[in-house]
Amino acid sequence: MKNHSRVRPLFCFFILALFLSFSGAEISSRAGVNYGQLGNNLPSPATSVELIKSLRAKRVKLYDANPKILRALKGTDIQVSVMIPNELIPNVSASQSFSDRWVRTNVVHFYPSTKIRYLLVGNEILTNPDVGTWFNLVPAMRRVKLSLRKFRLHKVKVGTPHATNVLESSFPPSNGTFRSDIAVPVIKPMLQFLNRTRSFMFLDVYPYFPWAAEPNNINLDYALFQAHNVTYTDPLSNLTYTNLFDQIVDAVIFAMKRLGYPGIRIFIAETGWPSAGDVDQIGASIYNAAVYNRNAVKKLTAKPPIGTPARPGVVIPSILFALFNENQKGGPGTERHFGLLYPNGTAVYEIDLSGQTPLSEYKKPLPPPTNNEPFKGELWCVVAAEGSANETALAEALSWACSQGKGICDPLQPGGKCFKPDSLSWHASYAFSAYWAQFKKLGGTCSFNGLAALTAKDPSMGRCKVPSGRLA
Ligand SMILES: *[C@@H]1O[C@H](CO)[C@@H](O)[C@H](O)[C@H]1NC(C)=O
Ligand SMILES: *[C@@H]1O[C@H](CO)[C@@H](O)[C@H](O)[C@H]1NC(C)=O
Ligand SMILES: *[C@@H]1O[C@H](CO)[C@@H](O)[C@H](O)[C@H]1NC(C)=O
Ligand SMILES: *[C@@H]1O[C@H](CO)[C@@H](O)[C@H](O)[C@H]1NC(C)=O
Ligand SMILES: *[C@@H]1O[C@H](CO)[C@@H](O)[C@H](O)[C@H]1NC(C)=O
Ligand SMILES: *[C@@H]1O[C@H](CO)[C@@H](O)[C@H](O)[C@H]1NC(C)=O
Ligand SMILES: *[C@@H]1O[C@H](CO)[C@@H](O)[C@H](O)[C@H]1NC(C)=O
């Protein structure tokens, strides 16, 4: 066994060398990992880079251009993607000298010893409620490209990652269409830019979310790349799908085609599956996360490449989300459990991003899947991430919840059964639960912009009974 594993990498290297010399392929199919830093317990950049290497990642994507991380990546063979933060997009778009300065400080300074290959302008900007920045996006991308040209950094591609809600229709895939508010004013010039500069359409693709929203309509194995007898044939294109991921990617390909750009390459900027979550979050388990991510790596690193039904045989470079579980991310519990690693560096489950470990060689047994069925017990809607919530936003949400139903917050009045403890967080939890219990039938959700989450633990105290509900 030992000998065997020592011989194989050499052999693979030989094949790879042959492959490279004959095809001149510049895009490695090995997968990468997103290095998010929204945790207060994460290892140092130097340690993190060692962990990235241990996952055999080919690329790493940052959500900024953290100089400590860029220095720690120096001299490694890892291809790096840096990001201009959303809030700087107006500045870049308004000023070439601002763009030049940003590129000099954050890219030129580290290049080429840190292999920066992608410069992403903002993150999921077109889902950002600040509509003003949408129209700065493409001008900012053009300026950044110009800056890179000035510094002769021709290897660095410019792009911007999109959530799949840039589409207004994605089913059937051949009906894929960009949202009408952005299609012509933003997406079209962006596609023109990407096409002209031979860059990529960067996509964040999460089959987990559509499946979790409709677990009774979508087959779980189809979402996990392991359906053997479930397929979907698109009646218009006649293409047959064997997994949800391909359906989503092809919807974007058809949408681009509809706008006149059929050839732009796809780059998976994020994909993943949560290994844990809140009690109402179906299907978030170590088992499902391991199966999804291992199968995604297997598919996306296959040689020869598999592609998708609309583009068979095409390489799709990819970056999994994420390196670590990040305890400071807001929103539902799943958001904090997309990591391949715990913050202490231990793997949540074994995974080899090089794609060179066959599925059958992952040795450690996985814990069995736990919550693939909707939760049936009683639930309460309470403040999520207590202690770290934005107090202003929490106070606004509390007063909004109370204003929705007549008298639903009466017990919170001074002297009321639920007045004590007189804290913002307690009052908000009561109000969120009262709101959700009453309005969920009418489509009310337990979200409050990510301030709230469902729990199966009854928060009631003393004489105060907090209203509860059940999932439909
Ligand atoms: C970006 O522009 C805004 C608005 O003009 C300005 O307040 C801010 O200081 C600028 N940011 C930087 C880093 O220059
Ligand atoms: C196709 O997309 C359009 C909007 O882009 C939508 O109105 C229509 O319902 C979609 N067709 C199907 C079959 O879903
Ligand atoms: C996209 O780029 C290709 C290759 O450079 C070019 O042939 C094609 O005309 C471009 N498409 C559009 C719509 O500009
Ligand atoms: C698919 O195959 C599995 C296992 O062989 C079986 O349990 C399941 O009923 C089949 N599903 C369909 C839709 O045929
Ligand atoms: C769709 O594919 C099937 C099987 O390959 C074929 O028989 C059929 O003619 C095709 N239909 C269209 C509309 O292309
Ligand atoms: C790392 O953290 C995980 C999750 O908290 C824990 O289960 C595991 O035991 C820890 N490993 C080490 C070596 O501390
Ligand atoms: C807190 O929430 C308020 C109101 O929603 C918002 O204006 C403010 O920017 C938020 N502060 C932080 C630090 O996110």
Side-chain angles (χ1 to χ4, degrees):
M1 210 49 211
K2 270 232 161 72
N3 268 341
H4 177 65
S5 62
R6 217 172 277 161
V7 168
R8 206 168 37 142
L10 262 183
F11 178 67
C12 290
F13 177 75
F14 177 67
I15 301 272
L16 189 67
L18 269 182
F19 176 72
L20 288 178
S21 60
F22 286 129
S23 69
E26 82 279 30
I27 303 170
S28 160
S29 66
R30 276 164 62 194
V33 67
N34 278 281
Y35 182 176
Q37 302 161 60
L38 299 177
N40 60 9
N41 53 358
L42 302 182
S44 70
T47 305
S48 300
V49 167
E50 287 313 307
L51 291 166
I52 292 167
K53 286 187 198 160
S54 74
L55 292 168
R56 303 218 281 167
K58 174 65 183 176
R59 341 186 139 80
V60 65
K61 176 163 146 265
L62 310 181
Y63 292 86
D64 55 17
N66 183 318
K68 290 198 185 100
I69 298 176
L70 291 174
R71 267 196 296 276
L73 285 161
K74 192 174 162 173
T76 68
D77 193 35
I78 299 169
Q79 299 187 350
V80 181
S81 171
V82 294
M83 186 178 280
I84 297 183
N86 292 359
E87 52 289 0
L88 291 185
I89 290 177
N91 306 54
V92 174
S93 140
S95 155
Q96 189 60 43
S97 63
F98 188 95
S99 168
D100 291 351
R101 246 178 298 137
W102 197 94
V103 170
R104 186 176 325 112
T105 313
N106 298 286
V107 183
V108 178
H109 189 66
F110 299 96
Y111 191 96
S113 50
T114 299
K115 281 194 165 182
I116 298 173
R117 290 291 178 273
Y118 307 99
L119 203 179
L120 303 182
V121 179
N123 196 35
E124 301 189 350
I125 273 297
L126 300 176
T127 18
N128 193 314
D130 185 1
V131 174
T133 59
W134 298 359
F135 304 100
N136 292 323
L137 179 60
V138 179
M141 292 169 79
R142 292 197 194 108
R143 287 216 189 273
V144 164
K145 185 69 192 172
L146 204 58
S147 303
L148 289 166
R149 271 205 201 109
K150 274 192 201 167
F151 295 114
R152 315 191 66 79
L153 303 187
H154 301 296
K155 277 188 186 164
V156 181
K157 298 284 186 198
V158 174
T160 183
H162 297 291
T164 40
N165 65 4
V166 292
L167 299 183
E168 71 181 12
S169 165
S170 57
F171 188 81
S174 61
N175 196 37
T177 312
F178 288 106
R179 272 169 22 214
S180 56
D181 57 337
I182 51 174
V184 172
V186 185
I187 298 282
K188 205 162 179 188
M190 191 197 70
L191 295 179
Q192 194 206 357
F193 171 85
L194 297 177
N195 192 58
R196 180 168 59 76
T197 59
R198 293 169 202 255
S199 185
F200 298 82
M201 180 72 170
F202 289 85
L203 292 179
D204 297 345
V205 176
Y206 288 98
Y208 169 71
F209 294 109
W211 171 76
E214 294 184 74
N216 297 325
N217 294 333
I218 302 176
N219 181 289
L220 176 60
D221 287 332
Y222 190 74
L224 294 174
F225 297 100
Q226 61 174 7
H228 300 297
N229 48 8
V230 183
T231 62
Y232 169 72
T233 300
D234 183 319
L236 298 173
S237 66
N238 215 13
L239 296 171
T240 293
Y241 290 87
T242 58
N243 63 76
L244 188 52
F245 176 94
D246 282 351
Q247 252 184 249
I248 298 171
V249 171
D250 277 6
V252 175
I253 290 174
F254 278 102
M256 293 196 297
K257 197 169 167 185
R258 198 157 267 126
L259 284 183
Y261 292 90
I264 296 172
R265 294 176 294 178
I266 298 286
F267 195 121
I268 304 299
E270 291 183 8
T271 191
W273 191 287
S275 65
D278 301 327
V279 62
D280 61 312
Q281 293 188 287
I282 187 171
S285 63
I286 291 181
Y287 182 90
N288 288 349
V291 169
Y292 178 87
N293 281 326
R294 288 173 185 177
N295 282 333
V297 168
K298 180 180 168 210
K299 173 195 168 72
L300 294 166
T301 62
K303 291 191 187 108
I306 296 172
T308 66
R311 284 194 191 155
V314 171
V315 176
I316 307 174
S318 63
I319 307 187
L320 297 198
F321 188 86
L323 184 56
F324 298 115
N325 281 345
E326 295 168 72
N327 67 356
Q328 290 178 314
K329 289 199 78 178
T334 45
E335 286 293 317
R336 292 176 284 286
H337 295 93
F338 273 90
L340 304 178
L341 307 178
Y342 295 112
N344 63 16
T346 308
V348 180
Y349 43 86
E350 290 172 272
I351 188 153
D352 171 4
L353 299 183
S354 75
Q356 288 168 20
T357 302
L359 295 183
S360 59
E361 282 190 22
Y362 289 110
K363 284 290 180 287
K364 275 202 216 141
L366 294 170
T370 44
N371 54 340
N372 286 342
E373 299 291 329
F375 184 78
K376 297 220 170 57
E378 229 159 308
L379 291 168
W380 290 263
C381 178
V382 299
V383 173
E386 220 176 305
S388 64
N390 175 338
E391 299 220 333
T392 314
L394 204 54
E396 284 170 7
L398 163 62
S399 99
W400 184 85
C402 292
S403 72
Q404 296 305 299
K406 199 157 181 288
I408 62 172
C409 291
D410 284 355
L412 294 178
Q413 297 307 310
K417 278 188 178 158
C418 299
F419 176 66
K420 285 188 177 162
D422 182 12
S423 75
L424 174 58
S425 163
W426 164 252
H427 282 200
S429 285
Y430 180 91
F432 292 170
S433 270
Y435 166 84
W436 182 71
Q438 184 164 336
F439 288 99
K440 67 185 174 54
K441 282 189 207 76
L442 304 171
T445 58
C446 176
S447 160
F448 297 94
N449 277 328
L451 293 168
L454 291 171
T455 174
K457 195 168 150 238
D458 186 353
S460 300
M461 280 196 258
R463 293 185 305 139
C464 174
K465 169 100 186 67
V466 178
S468 63
R470 286 171 192 271
L471 298 174

Tab-separated table of all heavy atoms in Angstrom, residues 364-398:
chain	number	residue	atom	x	y	z
A	364	LYS	N	-11.958	6.772	5.889
A	364	LYS	CA	-12.743	6.932	7.121
A	364	LYS	C	-14.221	6.863	6.809
A	364	LYS	O	-14.706	7.581	5.943
A	364	LYS	CB	-12.440	8.299	7.744
A	364	LYS	CG	-11.233	8.323	8.618
A	364	LYS	CD	-11.343	9.516	9.586
A	364	LYS	CE	-9.998	10.143	9.844
A	364	LYS	NZ	-10.033	11.597	9.918
A	365	PRO	N	-14.975	6.021	7.530
A	365	PRO	CA	-16.413	5.977	7.279
A	365	PRO	C	-17.060	7.316	7.632
A	365	PRO	O	-16.648	7.984	8.589
A	365	PRO	CB	-16.905	4.858	8.192
A	365	PRO	CG	-15.826	4.638	9.184
A	365	PRO	CD	-14.532	5.142	8.603
A	366	LEU	N	-18.064	7.721	6.863
A	366	LEU	CA	-18.779	8.963	7.150
A	366	LEU	C	-19.901	8.677	8.135
A	366	LEU	O	-20.478	7.588	8.117
A	366	LEU	CB	-19.383	9.508	5.857
A	366	LEU	CG	-18.405	9.962	4.779
A	366	LEU	CD1	-19.152	10.236	3.474
A	366	LEU	CD2	-17.635	11.197	5.236
A	367	PRO	N	-20.219	9.654	8.986
A	367	PRO	CA	-21.409	9.469	9.820
A	367	PRO	C	-22.632	9.378	8.909
A	367	PRO	O	-22.645	10.019	7.855
A	367	PRO	CB	-21.449	10.736	10.675
A	367	PRO	CG	-20.581	11.731	9.977
A	367	PRO	CD	-19.583	10.957	9.172
A	368	PRO	N	-23.648	8.590	9.277
A	368	PRO	CA	-24.802	8.445	8.389
A	368	PRO	C	-25.520	9.781	8.210
A	368	PRO	O	-25.442	10.644	9.079
A	368	PRO	CB	-25.692	7.440	9.122
A	368	PRO	CG	-25.224	7.449	10.530
A	368	PRO	CD	-23.793	7.853	10.527
A	369	PRO	N	-26.211	9.966	7.068
A	369	PRO	CA	-26.962	11.209	6.872
A	369	PRO	C	-28.028	11.326	7.952
A	369	PRO	O	-28.579	10.313	8.389
A	369	PRO	CB	-27.595	11.040	5.493
A	369	PRO	CG	-27.522	9.593	5.173
A	369	PRO	CD	-26.399	9.020	5.964
A	370	THR	N	-28.289	12.544	8.423
A	370	THR	CA	-29.181	12.689	9.560
A	370	THR	C	-30.538	13.295	9.242
A	370	THR	O	-31.562	12.721	9.564
A	370	THR	CB	-28.504	13.539	10.644
A	370	THR	OG1	-27.894	14.652	10.011
A	370	THR	CG2	-27.492	12.712	11.396
A	371	ASN	N	-30.570	14.451	8.606
A	371	ASN	CA	-31.842	15.189	8.520
A	371	ASN	C	-32.284	15.387	7.083
A	371	ASN	O	-32.510	16.498	6.648
A	371	ASN	CB	-31.700	16.533	9.238
A	371	ASN	CG	-30.519	17.323	8.706
A	371	ASN	OD1	-29.606	16.755	8.103
A	371	ASN	ND2	-30.523	18.615	8.882
A	372	ASN	N	-32.418	14.301	6.353
A	372	ASN	CA	-32.859	14.423	4.967
A	372	ASN	C	-34.372	14.608	4.825
A	372	ASN	O	-34.864	14.811	3.728
A	372	ASN	CB	-32.408	13.216	4.153
A	372	ASN	CG	-30.906	13.267	3.861
A	372	ASN	OD1	-30.292	14.330	3.975
A	372	ASN	ND2	-30.325	12.143	3.502
A	373	GLU	N	-35.086	14.512	5.944
A	373	GLU	CA	-36.525	14.756	5.930
A	373	GLU	C	-36.790	16.050	6.684
A	373	GLU	O	-36.054	16.386	7.611
A	373	GLU	CB	-37.265	13.618	6.668
A	373	GLU	CG	-37.083	12.248	6.049
A	373	GLU	CD	-37.789	12.133	4.709
A	373	GLU	OE1	-38.830	12.800	4.535
A	373	GLU	OE2	-37.276	11.398	3.842
A	374	PRO	N	-37.868	16.784	6.308
A	374	PRO	CA	-38.176	18.014	7.048
A	374	PRO	C	-38.388	17.718	8.531
A	374	PRO	O	-38.950	16.681	8.893
A	374	PRO	CB	-39.478	18.499	6.399
A	374	PRO	CG	-39.528	17.830	5.069
A	374	PRO	CD	-38.792	16.534	5.208
A	375	PHE	N	-37.941	18.631	9.387
A	375	PHE	CA	-38.090	18.483	10.827
A	375	PHE	C	-39.570	18.543	11.206
A	375	PHE	O	-40.318	19.381	10.695
A	375	PHE	CB	-37.321	19.607	11.517
A	375	PHE	CG	-37.319	19.515	13.012
A	375	PHE	CD1	-36.477	18.632	13.658
A	375	PHE	CD2	-38.173	20.307	13.765
A	375	PHE	CE1	-36.469	18.540	15.039
A	375	PHE	CE2	-38.175	20.221	15.154
A	375	PHE	CZ	-37.315	19.332	15.785
A	376	LYS	N	-40.005	17.662	12.109
A	376	LYS	CA	-41.441	17.569	12.380
A	376	LYS	C	-41.882	18.199	13.698
A	376	LYS	O	-43.067	18.429	13.900
A	376	LYS	CB	-41.868	16.092	12.352
A	376	LYS	CG	-41.664	15.472	10.974
A	376	LYS	CD	-42.798	14.546	10.606
A	376	LYS	CE	-42.730	14.123	9.140
A	376	LYS	NZ	-41.462	13.468	8.751
A	377	GLY	N	-40.915	18.464	14.608
A	377	GLY	CA	-41.300	18.953	15.929
A	377	GLY	C	-41.614	20.439	15.964
A	377	GLY	O	-41.694	21.108	14.937
A	378	GLU	N	-41.774	20.945	17.183
A	378	GLU	CA	-42.100	22.354	17.360
A	378	GLU	C	-40.843	23.221	17.224
A	378	GLU	O	-39.756	22.805	17.613
A	378	GLU	CB	-42.663	22.539	18.767
A	378	GLU	CG	-43.937	23.325	18.770
A	378	GLU	CD	-44.729	23.056	20.032
A	378	GLU	OE1	-44.971	21.865	20.345
A	378	GLU	OE2	-45.075	24.040	20.695
A	379	LEU	N	-41.017	24.426	16.687
A	379	LEU	CA	-39.872	25.298	16.434
A	379	LEU	C	-40.141	26.719	16.912
A	379	LEU	O	-41.284	27.175	16.931
A	379	LEU	CB	-39.558	25.331	14.932
A	379	LEU	CG	-38.999	24.038	14.323
A	379	LEU	CD1	-39.018	24.121	12.804
A	379	LEU	CD2	-37.586	23.780	14.828
A	380	TRP	N	-39.064	27.407	17.273
A	380	TRP	CA	-39.122	28.823	17.655
A	380	TRP	C	-38.170	29.611	16.766
A	380	TRP	O	-37.133	29.082	16.324
A	380	TRP	CB	-38.705	28.972	19.117
A	380	TRP	CG	-39.707	28.420	20.076
A	380	TRP	CD1	-40.673	29.118	20.741
A	380	TRP	CD2	-39.838	27.044	20.488
A	380	TRP	NE1	-41.417	28.264	21.538
A	380	TRP	CE2	-40.928	26.984	21.398
A	380	TRP	CE3	-39.171	25.864	20.174
A	380	TRP	CZ2	-41.345	25.796	21.994
A	380	TRP	CZ3	-39.590	24.671	20.758
A	380	TRP	CH2	-40.662	24.658	21.663
A	381	CYS	N	-38.536	30.866	16.508
A	381	CYS	CA	-37.713	31.730	15.664
A	381	CYS	C	-37.020	32.746	16.573
A	381	CYS	O	-37.683	33.614	17.155
A	381	CYS	CB	-38.614	32.433	14.648
A	381	CYS	SG	-37.733	33.589	13.580
A	382	VAL	N	-35.709	32.596	16.735
A	382	VAL	CA	-34.986	33.425	17.708
A	382	VAL	C	-33.807	34.161	17.060
A	382	VAL	O	-33.437	33.876	15.927
A	382	VAL	CB	-34.456	32.567	18.886
A	382	VAL	CG1	-35.615	31.908	19.631
A	382	VAL	CG2	-33.462	31.526	18.383
A	383	VAL	N	-33.232	35.079	17.821
A	383	VAL	CA	-32.077	35.834	17.330
A	383	VAL	C	-30.924	34.861	17.072
A	383	VAL	O	-30.557	34.067	17.940
A	383	VAL	CB	-31.646	36.901	18.363
A	383	VAL	CG1	-30.352	37.577	17.936
A	383	VAL	CG2	-32.760	37.923	18.544
A	384	ALA	N	-30.388	34.931	15.848
A	384	ALA	CA	-29.261	34.072	15.491
A	384	ALA	C	-27.982	34.759	15.942
A	384	ALA	O	-27.934	35.980	16.038
A	384	ALA	CB	-29.238	33.834	13.989
A	385	ALA	N	-26.938	33.996	16.166
A	385	ALA	CA	-25.620	34.553	16.502
A	385	ALA	C	-25.760	35.623	17.578
A	385	ALA	O	-25.324	36.763	17.418
A	385	ALA	CB	-24.938	35.116	15.263
A	386	GLU	N	-26.418	35.269	18.677
A	386	GLU	CA	-26.670	36.214	19.761
A	386	GLU	C	-25.352	36.833	20.227
A	386	GLU	O	-24.352	36.141	20.347
A	386	GLU	CB	-27.315	35.477	20.941
A	386	GLU	CG	-28.401	36.290	21.594
A	386	GLU	CD	-29.083	35.492	22.692
A	386	GLU	OE1	-29.564	34.380	22.399
A	386	GLU	OE2	-29.115	35.988	23.814
A	387	GLY	N	-25.386	38.148	20.479
A	387	GLY	CA	-24.163	38.797	20.940
A	387	GLY	C	-23.445	39.507	19.808
A	387	GLY	O	-22.896	40.570	19.996
A	388	SER	N	-23.469	38.918	18.594
A	388	SER	CA	-22.753	39.565	17.503
A	388	SER	C	-23.700	40.266	16.534
A	388	SER	O	-23.263	40.846	15.552
A	388	SER	CB	-21.877	38.562	16.761
A	388	SER	OG	-22.690	37.586	16.155
A	389	ALA	N	-25.026	40.202	16.823
A	389	ALA	CA	-25.980	40.835	15.900
A	389	ALA	C	-25.853	42.356	15.956
A	389	ALA	O	-25.536	42.934	16.993
A	389	ALA	CB	-27.401	40.404	16.247
A	390	ASN	N	-26.114	43.009	14.813
A	390	ASN	CA	-26.123	44.462	14.716
A	390	ASN	C	-27.328	44.994	15.515
A	390	ASN	O	-28.475	44.734	15.174
A	390	ASN	CB	-26.229	44.814	13.222
A	390	ASN	CG	-26.379	46.290	12.974
A	390	ASN	OD1	-26.795	47.049	13.844
A	390	ASN	ND2	-26.050	46.700	11.752
A	391	GLU	N	-27.061	45.747	16.589
A	391	GLU	CA	-28.135	46.153	17.507
A	391	GLU	C	-29.145	47.092	16.862
A	391	GLU	O	-30.333	47.019	17.142
A	391	GLU	CB	-27.529	46.807	18.755
A	391	GLU	CG	-26.625	45.843	19.517
A	391	GLU	CD	-26.777	45.970	21.023
A	391	GLU	OE1	-27.150	47.066	21.482
A	391	GLU	OE2	-26.533	44.965	21.715
A	392	THR	N	-28.650	47.980	15.992
A	392	THR	CA	-29.573	48.888	15.306
A	392	THR	C	-30.530	48.098	14.432
A	392	THR	O	-31.754	48.300	14.470
A	392	THR	CB	-28.778	49.871	14.415
A	392	THR	OG1	-27.689	50.379	15.169
A	392	THR	CG2	-29.651	50.986	13.915
A	393	ALA	N	-29.964	47.182	13.665
A	393	ALA	CA	-30.783	46.369	12.767
A	393	ALA	C	-31.750	45.512	13.584
A	393	ALA	O	-32.905	45.319	13.204
A	393	ALA	CB	-29.893	45.498	11.895
A	394	LEU	N	-31.279	45.004	14.719
A	394	LEU	CA	-32.109	44.147	15.569
A	394	LEU	C	-33.299	44.942	16.111
A	394	LEU	O	-34.437	44.458	16.102
A	394	LEU	CB	-31.245	43.607	16.718
A	394	LEU	CG	-31.687	42.318	17.390
A	394	LEU	CD1	-31.892	41.201	16.375
A	394	LEU	CD2	-30.655	41.886	18.430
A	395	ALA	N	-33.031	46.171	16.556
A	395	ALA	CA	-34.109	47.014	17.091
A	395	ALA	C	-35.127	47.323	15.997
A	395	ALA	O	-36.343	47.301	16.239
A	395	ALA	CB	-33.525	48.306	17.672
A	396	GLU	N	-34.644	47.574	14.790
A	396	GLU	CA	-35.563	47.842	13.669
A	396	GLU	C	-36.419	46.616	13.366
A	396	GLU	O	-37.628	46.726	13.158
A	396	GLU	CB	-34.764	48.214	12.407
A	396	GLU	CG	-34.212	49.630	12.430
A	396	GLU	CD	-33.227	49.902	11.274
A	396	GLU	OE1	-33.078	49.014	10.389
A	396	GLU	OE2	-32.621	50.982	11.289
A	397	ALA	N	-35.781	45.447	13.358
A	397	ALA	CA	-36.501	44.211	13.043
A	397	ALA	C	-37.535	43.914	14.126
A	397	ALA	O	-38.647	43.473	13.836
A	397	ALA	CB	-35.526	43.049	12.895
A	398	LEU	N	-37.159	44.167	15.388
A	398	LEU	CA	-38.087	43.961	16.512
A	398	LEU	C	-39.329	44.818	16.312
A	398	LEU	O	-40.459	44.336	16.408
A	398	LEU	CB	-37.373	44.321	17.829
A	398	LEU	CG	-38.242	44.561	19.070
A	398	LEU	CD1	-39.028	43.315	19.446
A	398	LEU	CD2	-37.378	44.995	20.264
